Amino acid sequence: MKKYFLITQLLCAFLILQSCEKEKPEIKPYRAGVILSFDDAYINEWYATNQKLKKYSWKGTFCVCKINRLKHYQILKLLELQKEGHEIAGHTLNHINAVDYIRVHTINEYMHQEIDPMLKLMNFYGLKVTSFAYPYGARNEKLDAALLQKFKIIRGRAFCEENAAKQGCYFNESNLVYSFSIDDTHNHFNIPHLLKLLDYAKKNDKILILNSHKTVENVTGDYQTKDATLEYICKYIKRNHMRFYTLSDLDKLE
C-alpha cells in the first residue's frame, strides 16, 4: 500500500513540475535597449559628439561611406572609436542608391563597384566591418540576399508610421533590420514620438534601432541631429536600466 502511495505522490509531483514548466514565460536572451547608428562620413562631428557622451558609457554604430576619400587623421579617429567599443559599419563606397543603380546594372556590378572595394580598404585600415546600412534605405530582396553573403546584419529604413507599436524599427530576430531617423528635420521626428518609441521598447523588452547623420550642437540644415537629442536618449537609457547595442551585437542575439 505504501508503495502505491509513494508512486502516486511522485507522479503528482512530476505533473505539477511539468505544468509549471509550461506556464513559464519565454525569456529573451537580451534586455531592452537602443542602437544609435550614424550614416555617411561625418567623422569629425561624430568624434566630437563621442567626447560629450562618454560619461554615459554609450555605444554607437558608425556606417561609413566614401572611405577612399577620408584623410589619415579621420581614419585614426575611426580606429579610436572602434577601440573604445563602438562599431564601424559599411555604407557603400560612393553612397549611391542601390535600387536605382541595379535598374541599369547587375547586382554583381554593384557589388564590384560599391561593396568589394569598400571592404578591402576598410580591412586594410584595420576596421572590422560586419554590418551594412543602405544609403537612403533603398533596398530589395535580391540586394538583401547578395549583401547577406558579405555582412551578418544589414539595415534598411522604417518610414511613415506614427503608432509606436507598429513602427518597424525594433529588432525582430532577423538579420535584416530597419531604423527610425532622429534627424531634426525629418518629417516624422519629434521628441514626443521618440519618447513613445523608447517607452514601447522599455515596456516590451525591445531593441529600438535609430539612425542619424551629422551630429551638431545647433541644427543648420537637413540630415543633422542635435547632440542634445542624443544626450536625451542616453539619459533615458541610463535612467531606465536599458542597454546600448551596436548593429553587430544583434548577430549574437539571434
Side-chain angles (χ1 to χ4, degrees):
M1 192 70 177
K2 288 183 180 180
K3 179 180 177 181
Y4 290 120
F5 179 72
L6 181 60
I7 292 173
T8 301
Q9 281 188 316
L10 290 171
L11 182 59
C12 289
F14 174 77
L15 291 172
I16 290 170
L17 286 172
Q18 194 175 45
S19 175
C20 289
E21 287 292 322
K22 288 181 181 179
E23 292 175 2
K24 281 184 180 179
E26 181 183 354
I27 300 175
K28 290 189 176 182
Y30 55 83
R31 75 173 187 261
V34 175
I35 292 174
L36 290 169
S37 60
F38 305 84
D39 295 356
D40 297 348
Y42 300 106
I43 315 303
N44 299 332
E45 290 81 3
W46 298 340
Y47 188 85
T49 294
N50 178 53
Q51 305 309 309
K52 298 177 183 178
L53 300 182
K54 278 185 179 182
K55 58 188 175 184
Y56 300 105
S57 301
W58 82 302
K59 286 200 294 185
T61 298
F62 300 97
C63 307
V64 180
C65 63
K66 302 179 181 179
I67 187 74
N68 55 327
R69 304 182 201 178
L70 297 184
K71 304 295 185 184
H72 179 63
Y73 75 90
Q74 292 176 306
I75 298 297
L76 292 179
K77 285 182 177 180
L78 288 176
L79 287 169
E80 186 175 335
L81 287 169
Q82 180 176 261
K83 187 176 180 180
E84 289 181 10
H86 302 286
E87 178 182 9
I88 309 302
H91 197 48
T92 74
L93 191 65
N94 297 295
H95 200 270
I96 67 170
N97 184 308
V99 173
D100 288 345
Y101 183 87
I102 64 170
R103 286 194 179 102
V104 291
H105 300 87
T106 66
I107 289 182
N108 283 340
E109 287 174 316
Y110 172 77
M111 301 296 285
H112 180 71
Q113 175 181 304
E114 293 297 317
I115 304 302
D116 294 337
M118 176 197 71
L119 285 172
K120 184 177 180 180
L121 196 50
M122 289 179 131
N123 182 63
F124 172 78
Y125 286 133
L127 299 169
K128 302 170 185 176
V129 178
T130 62
S131 305
F132 175 81
Y134 283 104
Y136 313 105
R139 51 158 293 279
N140 61 34
E141 290 183 1
K142 289 183 179 179
L143 283 164
D144 293 345
L147 287 163
L148 285 171
Q149 298 298 312
K150 302 279 185 177
F151 303 98
K152 293 181 178 179
I153 299 290
I154 56 177
R155 198 210 76 202
R157 290 277 302 280
F159 292 101
C160 306
E161 179 56 64
E162 294 183 5
N163 187 327
K166 294 181 179 179
Q167 188 68 260
C169 53
Y170 307 100
F171 178 51
N172 63 350
E173 286 75 46
S174 169
N175 51 13
L176 168 63
V177 298
Y178 302 90
S179 63
F180 179 81
S181 175
I182 56 171
D183 287 333
D184 198 72
T185 54
H186 186 264
N187 289 338
H188 297 274
F189 170 74
N190 56 68
I191 292 296
H193 184 60
L194 173 61
L195 181 58
K196 289 179 183 178
L197 297 175
L198 289 165
D199 284 344
Y200 183 82
K202 179 190 70 174
K203 292 174 184 176
N204 295 277
D205 291 323
K206 296 286 187 181
I207 297 175
L208 173 64
I209 305 165
L210 303 172
N211 78 275
S212 62
H213 293 82
K214 185 177 183 179
T215 56
V216 296
E217 187 171 347
N218 297 300
V219 171
T220 57
D222 292 337
Y223 298 104
Q224 296 181 6
T225 295
K226 290 180 184 176
D227 287 338
T229 300
L230 295 169
E231 189 155 14
Y232 175 87
I233 295 168
C234 288
K235 287 179 178 178
Y236 184 99
I237 291 172
K238 288 297 184 180
R239 185 168 63 249
N240 290 283
H241 308 290
M242 296 166 70
R243 278 192 58 184
F244 293 101
Y245 292 90
T246 63
L247 284 177
S248 62
D249 286 335
L250 300 180
D251 181 61
K252 305 164 191 174
L253 304 178
E254 292 183 278

Coordinates of all heavy atoms in Angstrom, one line a residue, residues 113-194:
Q113 N 31.5 47.4 -57.7 CA 31.8 48.9 -57.6 C 31.7 49.5 -56.2 O 32.6 50.3 -55.8 CB 30.9 49.7 -58.5 CG 31.0 51.2 -58.4 CD 30.1 51.9 -59.3 OE1 30.0 51.7 -60.5 NE2 29.3 52.9 -58.7
E114 N 30.7 49.0 -55.4 CA 30.4 49.7 -54.2 C 30.8 49.0 -52.9 O 31.1 49.6 -51.9 CB 28.9 50.0 -54.1 CG 28.4 51.0 -55.1 CD 29.1 52.4 -54.9 OE1 29.1 52.8 -53.8 OE2 29.5 53.0 -55.9
I115 N 30.8 47.6 -53.0 CA 30.9 46.8 -51.8 C 32.4 46.3 -51.6 O 33.0 46.5 -50.6 CB 29.9 45.7 -51.7 CG1 28.5 46.3 -51.8 CG2 30.1 44.9 -50.4 CD1 28.1 47.3 -50.7
D116 N 32.8 45.6 -52.6 CA 34.1 44.9 -52.5 C 35.3 45.9 -52.3 O 36.1 45.6 -51.4 CB 34.4 44.0 -53.7 CG 33.4 42.8 -53.8 OD1 32.9 42.5 -52.8 OD2 33.2 42.3 -54.9
P117 N 35.4 47.0 -53.0 CA 36.5 47.9 -52.8 C 36.4 48.6 -51.4 O 37.4 48.9 -50.8 CB 36.4 48.9 -53.9 CG 35.0 48.8 -54.5 CD 34.6 47.3 -54.2
M118 N 35.1 48.8 -51.0 CA 34.9 49.4 -49.6 C 35.5 48.5 -48.6 O 36.2 48.9 -47.7 CB 33.4 49.7 -49.4 CG 33.1 50.2 -48.0 SD 31.3 50.0 -47.6 CE 31.2 48.3 -47.4
L119 N 35.1 47.2 -48.6 CA 35.5 46.2 -47.6 C 37.0 46.0 -47.7 O 37.7 45.9 -46.6 CB 34.8 44.9 -47.9 CG 33.3 44.9 -47.4 CD1 32.7 43.6 -47.9 CD2 33.2 45.0 -45.9
K120 N 37.6 46.0 -48.9 CA 39.0 45.8 -49.0 C 39.8 46.9 -48.3 O 40.8 46.7 -47.6 CB 39.4 45.7 -50.5 CG 40.9 45.4 -50.7 CD 41.2 45.2 -52.2 CE 42.7 44.9 -52.4 NZ 43.0 44.8 -53.9
L121 N 39.3 48.2 -48.5 CA 40.0 49.3 -48.0 C 39.8 49.4 -46.5 O 40.7 49.7 -45.7 CB 39.5 50.6 -48.7 CG 40.4 51.9 -48.5 CD1 41.8 51.6 -48.8 CD2 39.8 53.0 -49.4
M122 N 38.6 49.1 -46.0 CA 38.3 49.1 -44.6 C 39.2 48.1 -43.9 O 39.7 48.3 -42.8 CB 36.9 48.9 -44.3 CG 36.0 50.2 -44.7 SD 34.2 49.9 -44.4 CE 33.8 51.4 -43.5
N123 N 39.3 46.9 -44.5 CA 40.1 45.9 -43.9 C 41.6 46.3 -43.8 O 42.3 46.0 -42.9 CB 39.9 44.6 -44.7 CG 40.7 43.4 -44.1 OD1 40.5 43.0 -43.0 ND2 41.7 42.9 -44.9
F124 N 42.0 46.9 -44.9 CA 43.4 47.4 -44.9 C 43.7 48.4 -43.8 O 44.8 48.3 -43.2 CB 43.6 48.1 -46.3 CG 45.0 48.8 -46.4 CD1 46.1 48.1 -46.6 CD2 45.1 50.2 -46.2 CE1 47.4 48.7 -46.7 CE2 46.3 50.8 -46.3 CZ 47.4 50.1 -46.5
Y125 N 42.7 49.2 -43.4 CA 42.9 50.2 -42.4 C 42.7 49.6 -41.0 O 43.0 50.2 -40.0 CB 41.9 51.3 -42.5 CG 42.2 52.3 -43.6 CD1 41.3 52.7 -44.5 CD2 43.5 52.8 -43.8 CE1 41.6 53.6 -45.5 CE2 43.8 53.7 -44.8 CZ 42.8 54.1 -45.7 OH 43.1 55.0 -46.7
G126 N 42.3 48.3 -40.9 CA 42.1 47.7 -39.6 C 40.7 47.9 -39.1 O 40.5 47.7 -37.8
L127 N 39.7 48.3 -39.9 CA 38.3 48.5 -39.5 C 37.6 47.2 -39.7 O 37.5 46.6 -40.8 CB 37.7 49.6 -40.3 CG 38.4 51.0 -40.1 CD1 37.9 52.0 -41.1 CD2 38.2 51.5 -38.7
K128 N 37.0 46.7 -38.6 CA 36.4 45.3 -38.6 C 34.9 45.5 -38.9 O 34.1 45.9 -38.1 CB 36.5 44.6 -37.2 CG 38.0 44.5 -36.9 CD 38.1 44.0 -35.4 CE 39.6 44.0 -35.0 NZ 39.8 43.6 -33.6
V129 N 34.5 45.3 -40.2 CA 33.2 45.6 -40.6 C 32.4 44.3 -40.9 O 32.7 43.4 -41.7 CB 33.3 46.4 -42.0 CG1 31.9 46.7 -42.5 CG2 34.0 47.7 -41.8
T130 N 31.3 44.2 -40.1 CA 30.4 43.0 -40.3 C 28.9 43.4 -40.5 O 28.1 42.6 -40.7 CB 30.4 42.1 -39.1 OG1 30.0 42.8 -37.9 CG2 31.9 41.6 -38.9
S131 N 28.6 44.7 -40.5 CA 27.3 45.2 -40.7 C 27.2 46.3 -41.8 O 28.3 46.9 -42.1 CB 26.7 45.9 -39.4 OG 26.8 45.0 -38.3
F132 N 26.1 46.5 -42.4 CA 25.9 47.3 -43.5 C 24.6 48.1 -43.4 O 23.6 47.6 -43.0 CB 25.9 46.5 -44.8 CG 25.7 47.3 -46.1 CD1 26.7 48.0 -46.7 CD2 24.4 47.3 -46.6 CE1 26.4 48.8 -47.8 CE2 24.2 48.1 -47.8 CZ 25.2 48.8 -48.4
A133 N 24.6 49.4 -43.8 CA 23.4 50.2 -43.9 C 23.2 50.7 -45.3 O 24.2 51.3 -45.9 CB 23.5 51.4 -42.9
Y134 N 22.0 50.6 -45.8 CA 21.7 51.0 -47.2 C 21.6 52.5 -47.3 O 20.9 53.2 -46.5 CB 20.4 50.5 -47.7 CG 20.3 49.0 -48.1 CD1 19.8 48.1 -47.3 CD2 20.8 48.7 -49.3 CE1 19.7 46.7 -47.7 CE2 20.7 47.3 -49.8 CZ 20.1 46.4 -48.9 OH 20.1 45.1 -49.4
P135 N 22.3 53.2 -48.2 CA 22.1 54.6 -48.4 C 20.7 54.9 -48.8 O 20.1 54.1 -49.6 CB 23.1 54.9 -49.6 CG 24.2 53.9 -49.5 CD 23.5 52.7 -49.0
Y136 N 20.1 55.9 -48.2 CA 18.7 56.2 -48.5 C 17.7 55.1 -48.0 O 16.5 55.3 -48.3 CB 18.4 56.6 -49.9 CG 19.5 57.5 -50.5 CD1 20.4 57.0 -51.4 CD2 19.4 58.9 -50.2 CE1 21.4 57.9 -51.9 CE2 20.4 59.7 -50.7 CZ 21.4 59.2 -51.6 OH 22.3 60.1 -52.1
G137 N 18.1 54.1 -47.4 CA 17.3 53.0 -47.1 C 16.8 52.2 -48.3 O 15.9 51.4 -48.2
A138 N 17.4 52.4 -49.5 CA 16.9 51.8 -50.7 C 17.4 50.4 -50.8 O 18.6 50.2 -50.9 CB 17.3 52.6 -51.9
R139 N 16.4 49.4 -50.9 CA 16.8 48.0 -50.9 C 15.7 47.2 -51.5 O 14.6 47.7 -51.7 CB 17.0 47.5 -49.4 CG 15.8 47.8 -48.5 CD 15.7 46.9 -47.3 NE 15.4 45.6 -47.7 CZ 14.2 45.1 -47.9 NH1 13.1 46.0 -47.9 NH2 14.0 43.9 -48.2
N140 N 16.0 45.9 -51.8 CA 15.0 45.0 -52.2 C 15.5 43.6 -51.9 O 16.7 43.5 -51.4 CB 14.7 45.1 -53.7 CG 15.8 44.8 -54.6 OD1 16.7 44.0 -54.3 ND2 15.9 45.5 -55.8
E141 N 14.8 42.6 -52.1 CA 15.1 41.2 -51.6 C 16.4 40.7 -52.3 O 17.2 40.0 -51.7 CB 14.0 40.3 -51.8 CG 12.8 40.6 -50.8 CD 11.7 39.6 -51.0 OE1 11.8 38.6 -51.8 OE2 10.7 39.7 -50.2
K142 N 16.5 41.0 -53.6 CA 17.7 40.5 -54.3 C 19.0 41.1 -53.8 O 20.0 40.5 -53.6 CB 17.6 40.8 -55.8 CG 16.5 39.9 -56.5 CD 16.4 40.2 -58.0 CE 15.4 39.3 -58.6 NZ 15.3 39.5 -60.1
L143 N 18.9 42.4 -53.5 CA 20.1 43.1 -52.9 C 20.3 42.5 -51.5 O 21.5 42.3 -51.1 CB 19.8 44.6 -52.8 CG 20.0 45.4 -54.1 CD1 19.3 46.7 -54.0 CD2 21.4 45.5 -54.5
D144 N 19.3 42.3 -50.7 CA 19.5 41.7 -49.4 C 20.2 40.4 -49.4 O 21.2 40.2 -48.7 CB 18.1 41.5 -48.7 CG 17.3 42.7 -48.4 OD1 17.9 43.8 -48.4 OD2 16.1 42.6 -48.1
A145 N 19.8 39.5 -50.4 CA 20.4 38.2 -50.5 C 21.9 38.3 -50.8 O 22.7 37.6 -50.3 CB 19.7 37.4 -51.5
A146 N 22.2 39.3 -51.7 CA 23.6 39.4 -52.1 C 24.5 40.0 -51.0 O 25.6 39.5 -50.7 CB 23.7 40.3 -53.3
L147 N 23.9 41.0 -50.3 CA 24.7 41.6 -49.2 C 24.8 40.7 -48.0 O 25.8 40.9 -47.2 CB 24.0 42.9 -48.8 CG 24.2 44.0 -49.9 CD1 23.2 45.2 -49.7 CD2 25.6 44.6 -49.9
L148 N 23.9 39.9 -47.7 CA 24.0 39.0 -46.6 C 25.0 37.9 -46.8 O 25.3 37.1 -45.9 CB 22.6 38.3 -46.3 CG 21.6 39.3 -45.6 CD1 20.2 38.7 -45.5 CD2 22.2 39.7 -44.2
Q149 N 25.6 37.8 -48.0 CA 26.7 37.0 -48.3 C 28.0 37.6 -47.7 O 29.0 37.0 -47.5 CB 26.9 36.7 -49.8 CG 25.7 35.9 -50.4 CD 25.5 34.6 -49.8 OE1 26.5 33.8 -49.7 NE2 24.3 34.3 -49.4
K150 N 27.9 38.9 -47.5 CA 29.1 39.7 -47.1 C 29.0 40.2 -45.7 O 30.0 40.4 -45.0 CB 29.3 40.9 -48.0 CG 29.4 40.6 -49.5 CD 30.8 40.2 -49.8 CE 31.0 40.1 -51.4 NZ 32.4 39.7 -51.7
F151 N 27.8 40.4 -45.2 CA 27.6 41.0 -43.9 C 26.6 40.2 -43.0 O 25.8 39.5 -43.6 CB 27.0 42.4 -44.0 CG 27.8 43.4 -44.9 CD1 27.4 43.6 -46.2 CD2 28.9 44.0 -44.4 CE1 28.2 44.4 -47.0 CE2 29.6 44.9 -45.2 CZ 29.3 45.1 -46.5
K152 N 26.8 40.3 -41.7 CA 25.9 39.5 -40.8 C 24.6 40.2 -40.5 O 23.6 39.6 -40.3 CB 26.7 39.2 -39.5 CG 27.9 38.3 -39.7 CD 28.6 38.0 -38.4 CE 29.8 37.1 -38.6 NZ 30.5 36.8 -37.3
I153 N 24.7 41.5 -40.5 CA 23.5 42.4 -40.3 C 23.4 43.4 -41.4 O 24.4 44.1 -41.6 CB 23.5 43.0 -38.9 CG1 23.5 42.0 -37.8 CG2 22.3 44.0 -38.7 CD1 22.2 41.2 -37.6
I154 N 22.2 43.6 -42.0 CA 22.0 44.7 -42.9 C 20.8 45.6 -42.4 O 19.9 45.1 -41.8 CB 21.8 44.3 -44.3 CG1 20.6 43.3 -44.5 CG2 23.1 43.6 -44.9 CD1 20.4 42.9 -45.9
R155 N 21.0 46.9 -42.6 CA 20.0 47.8 -42.0 C 19.3 48.7 -43.1 O 20.0 49.3 -43.9 CB 20.6 48.8 -41.1 CG 19.7 49.5 -40.1 CD 20.3 50.9 -39.7 NE 20.1 51.8 -40.8 CZ 20.8 52.9 -41.0 NH1 21.8 53.2 -40.1 NH2 20.6 53.7 -42.0
G156 N 18.0 48.6 -43.2 CA 17.2 49.5 -44.0 C 16.6 50.6 -43.2 O 17.1 51.0 -42.1
R157 N 15.5 51.2 -43.7 CA 14.9 52.3 -43.0 C 13.4 52.1 -42.8 O 12.7 51.5 -43.7 CB 15.0 53.6 -43.8 CG 16.5 54.2 -43.9 CD 16.8 55.0 -42.7 NE 15.9 56.1 -42.5 CZ 16.0 57.2 -43.2 NH1 16.9 57.4 -44.1 NH2 15.1 58.2 -43.0
A158 N 12.9 52.4 -41.7 CA 11.4 52.3 -41.4 C 10.8 53.7 -41.6 O 11.3 54.7 -41.1 CB 11.2 51.9 -39.9
F159 N 9.8 53.7 -42.4 CA 9.2 55.0 -42.8 C 7.7 55.2 -42.4 O 7.0 54.3 -42.3 CB 9.2 55.2 -44.3 CG 10.6 55.3 -44.9 CD1 11.2 54.2 -45.5 CD2 11.3 56.5 -44.8 CE1 12.5 54.3 -46.0 CE2 12.6 56.6 -45.3 CZ 13.2 55.5 -45.9
C160 N 7.4 56.4 -42.0 CA 6.0 56.9 -42.0 C 5.0 56.1 -41.2 O 3.9 55.7 -41.7 CB 5.5 57.1 -43.4 SG 6.5 58.1 -44.5
E161 N 5.3 55.8 -40.0 CA 4.4 55.1 -39.1 C 4.3 55.9 -37.8 O 5.3 56.0 -37.1 CB 4.8 53.7 -38.9 CG 3.9 52.9 -38.0 CD 2.4 52.9 -38.5 OE1 2.2 52.4 -39.5 OE2 1.6 53.5 -37.8
E162 N 3.1 56.4 -37.4 CA 3.0 57.2 -36.3 C 2.8 56.4 -35.0 O 3.1 56.9 -33.9 CB 1.9 58.2 -36.4 CG 2.1 59.2 -37.5 CD 1.0 60.3 -37.7 OE1 0.1 60.2 -36.9 OE2 1.1 61.1 -38.6
N163 N 2.2 55.2 -35.1 CA 2.0 54.4 -34.0 C 3.2 53.6 -33.6 O 3.8 52.9 -34.3 CB 0.9 53.3 -34.3 CG 0.4 52.5 -33.1 OD1 1.2 52.2 -32.2 ND2 -0.8 52.1 -33.1
A164 N 3.7 53.9 -32.3 CA 5.0 53.3 -31.9 C 5.0 51.8 -31.9 O 6.0 51.2 -32.3 CB 5.3 53.8 -30.5
A165 N 3.8 51.2 -31.6 CA 3.8 49.7 -31.6 C 3.9 49.1 -33.0 O 4.3 48.0 -33.2 CB 2.5 49.3 -31.0
K166 N 3.5 49.9 -34.0 CA 3.5 49.4 -35.4 C 4.8 49.8 -36.2 O 5.0 49.4 -37.3 CB 2.3 49.9 -36.1 CG 1.0 49.3 -35.6 CD -0.2 49.8 -36.4 CE -1.5 49.2 -35.9 NZ -2.7 49.7 -36.6
Q167 N 5.6 50.7 -35.6 CA 6.8 51.1 -36.2 C 7.8 50.0 -36.4 O 8.0 49.2 -35.5 CB 7.5 52.2 -35.4 CG 8.6 52.9 -36.0 CD 8.2 53.8 -37.2 OE1 8.4 53.3 -38.4 NE2 7.7 55.0 -37.0
G168 N 8.4 49.9 -37.6 CA 9.2 48.7 -37.8 C 10.6 48.8 -37.4 O 11.5 48.1 -38.0
C169 N 10.9 49.6 -36.4 CA 12.3 49.9 -36.1 C 12.8 49.2 -34.8 O 13.6 49.7 -34.1 CB 12.5 51.4 -35.9 SG 11.4 52.2 -34.8
Y170 N 12.2 48.0 -34.6 CA 12.7 47.2 -33.4 C 13.3 45.9 -33.9 O 12.8 45.3 -35.0 CB 11.5 46.9 -32.5 CG 10.7 48.1 -32.1 CD1 9.5 48.4 -32.7 CD2 11.2 48.9 -31.0 CE1 8.8 49.5 -32.3 CE2 10.5 50.0 -30.6 CZ 9.3 50.3 -31.3 OH 8.6 51.4 -30.9
F171 N 14.3 45.4 -33.2 CA 14.9 44.1 -33.6 C 13.9 43.0 -33.5 O 13.2 42.9 -32.5 CB 16.1 43.8 -32.7 CG 16.7 42.5 -32.9 CD1 17.2 42.2 -34.2 CD2 17.0 41.7 -31.9 CE1 17.8 41.0 -34.4 CE2 17.6 40.4 -32.1 CZ 18.0 40.1 -33.4
N172 N 13.8 42.2 -34.5 CA 12.8 41.1 -34.6 C 13.4 39.7 -34.8 O 12.9 38.9 -35.5 CB 11.7 41.4 -35.6 CG 12.2 41.5 -37.0 OD1 13.5 41.5 -37.2 ND2 11.4 41.5 -38.0
E173 N 14.7 39.6 -34.3 CA 15.4 38.3 -34.5 C 15.7 38.0 -36.0 O 15.9 36.9 -36.4 CB 14.7 37.1 -33.9 CG 14.7 37.1 -32.4 CD 13.8 38.1 -31.7 OE1 12.6 38.2 -32.2 OE2 14.2 38.8 -30.8
S174 N 15.8 39.0 -36.8 CA 16.2 38.9 -38.2 C 17.5 39.6 -38.5 O 17.9 40.5 -37.7 CB 15.1 39.5 -39.1 OG 15.5 39.6 -40.4
N175 N 18.2 39.1 -39.5 CA 19.5 39.8 -39.8 C 19.2 41.0 -40.8 O 20.2 41.6 -41.2 CB 20.5 38.8 -40.4 CG 19.9 38.0 -41.5 OD1 18.9 38.2 -42.1 ND2 20.7 36.9 -41.9
L176 N 18.0 41.2 -41.1 CA 17.6 42.5 -41.8 C 16.8 43.3 -40.9 O 15.7 42.9 -40.4 CB 16.7 42.1 -43.1 CG 16.0 43.3 -43.7 CD1 17.0 44.3 -44.3 CD2 15.1 42.8 -44.9
V177 N 17.3 44.5 -40.5 CA 16.6 45.4 -39.6 C 16.3 46.7 -40.2 O 16.9 47.1 -41.2 CB 17.4 45.5 -38.3 CG1 17.6 44.2 -37.6 CG2 18.8 46.2 -38.6
Y178 N 15.5 47.5 -39.5 CA 15.1 48.8 -40.0 C 15.2 49.8 -38.9 O 15.0 49.5 -37.7 CB 13.6 48.8 -40.5 CG 13.3 47.8 -41.6 CD1 13.0 46.5 -41.2 CD2 13.5 48.1 -42.9 CE1 12.7 45.5 -42.2 CE2 13.3 47.1 -43.9 CZ 12.9 45.9 -43.6 OH 12.6 44.9 -44.5
S179 N 15.6 51.1 -39.3 CA 15.8 52.1 -38.3 C 14.9 53.3 -38.5 O 14.3 53.5 -39.6 CB 17.3 52.6 -38.4 OG 17.5 53.2 -39.7
F180 N 14.7 54.0 -37.4 CA 13.9 55.3 -37.5 C 14.8 56.5 -37.4 O 15.8 56.5 -36.6 CB 12.9 55.3 -36.3 CG 12.1 56.5 -36.2 CD1 10.9 56.7 -37.0 CD2 12.4 57.6 -35.4 CE1 10.2 57.8 -37.0 CE2 11.7 58.8 -35.4 CZ 10.5 58.9 -36.2
S181 N 14.6 57.5 -38.2 CA 15.5 58.6 -38.3 C 15.2 59.6 -37.2 O 14.1 60.0 -37.0 CB 15.4 59.3 -39.6 OG 16.2 60.5 -39.6
I182 N 16.3 60.1 -36.5 CA 16.1 61.1 -35.5 C 16.8 62.4 -36.0 O 17.1 63.3 -35.1 CB 16.7 60.6 -34.1 CG1 18.2 60.2 -34.2 CG2 15.8 59.6 -33.5 CD1 18.8 59.9 -32.9
D183 N 17.0 62.5 -37.3 CA 17.5 63.8 -37.8 C 16.4 64.9 -37.5 O 15.2 64.6 -37.6 CB 17.7 63.8 -39.3 CG 19.0 63.0 -39.7 OD1 19.9 62.9 -38.8 OD2 19.0 62.4 -40.8
D184 N 16.9 66.1 -37.1 CA 15.9 67.1 -36.6 C 14.9 67.5 -37.6 O 13.8 67.8 -37.2 CB 16.8 68.3 -36.1 CG 16.0 69.2 -35.2 OD1 15.7 68.8 -34.0 OD2 15.5 70.3 -35.6
T185 N 15.2 67.5 -38.9 CA 14.3 68.0 -39.9 C 13.5 66.9 -40.6 O 12.8 67.1 -41.5 CB 15.0 68.8 -41.0 OG1 16.1 68.1 -41.5 CG2 15.6 70.1 -40.4
H186 N 13.7 65.6 -40.1 CA 13.0 64.5 -40.7 C 11.5 64.7 -40.4 O 11.1 65.1 -39.3 CB 13.5 63.2 -40.0 CG 12.9 62.0 -40.7 ND1 11.8 61.3 -40.2 CD2 13.2 61.3 -41.8 CE1 11.5 60.3 -40.9 NE2 12.4 60.2 -41.9
N187 N 10.7 64.4 -41.4 CA 9.2 64.7 -41.4 C 8.5 64.1 -40.1 O 7.6 64.7 -39.6 CB 8.5 64.1 -42.6 CG 8.9 65.0 -43.8 OD1 9.3 66.1 -43.7 ND2 8.7 64.4 -45.0
H188 N 9.0 62.9 -39.7 CA 8.3 62.2 -38.7 C 9.0 62.2 -37.3 O 8.6 61.5 -36.4 CB 8.0 60.7 -39.1 CG 7.2 60.7 -40.3 ND1 5.8 60.6 -40.3 CD2 7.5 60.6 -41.6 CE1 5.3 60.6 -41.5 NE2 6.3 60.6 -42.3
F189 N 10.1 63.0 -37.2 CA 10.8 63.1 -36.0 C 10.3 64.2 -35.1 O 10.1 65.4 -35.5 CB 12.3 63.3 -36.2 CG 13.0 63.6 -34.9 CD1 13.2 62.6 -33.9 CD2 13.4 64.9 -34.6 CE1 13.8 62.9 -32.7 CE2 14.0 65.2 -33.4 CZ 14.2 64.2 -32.4
N190 N 10.1 63.9 -33.8 CA 9.8 64.9 -32.8 C 10.1 64.2 -31.4 O 10.0 63.0 -31.4 CB 8.5 65.6 -32.8 CG 7.3 64.5 -32.8 OD1 7.1 63.9 -31.8 ND2 6.6 64.4 -33.9
I191 N 10.4 65.0 -30.4 CA 10.7 64.4 -29.1 C 9.6 63.6 -28.5 O 9.8 62.5 -28.0 CB 11.2 65.4 -28.1 CG1 12.6 66.0 -28.6 CG2 11.4 64.9 -26.7 CD1 13.7 65.0 -28.6
P192 N 8.3 64.0 -28.6 CA 7.2 63.2 -28.0 C 7.1 61.8 -28.7 O 6.9 60.8 -28.0 CB 6.0 64.1 -28.3 CG 6.5 65.5 -28.3 CD 7.9 65.4 -29.0
H193 N 7.3 61.8 -30.0 CA 7.2 60.5 -30.7 C 8.4 59.6 -30.3 O 8.3 58.4 -30.1 CB 7.2 60.7 -32.2 CG 7.0 59.4 -33.0 ND1 5.9 58.6 -32.8 CD2 7.8 58.8 -33.9 CE1 6.0 57.5 -33.5 NE2 7.1 57.6 -34.2
L194 N 9.6 60.2 -30.2 CA 10.8 59.5 -29.8 C 10.6 58.9 -28.4 O 10.9 57.7 -28.2 CB 12.0 60.4 -29.8 CG 13.3 59.9 -29.2 CD1 13.8 58.6 -30.0 CD2 14.4 60.9 -29.2

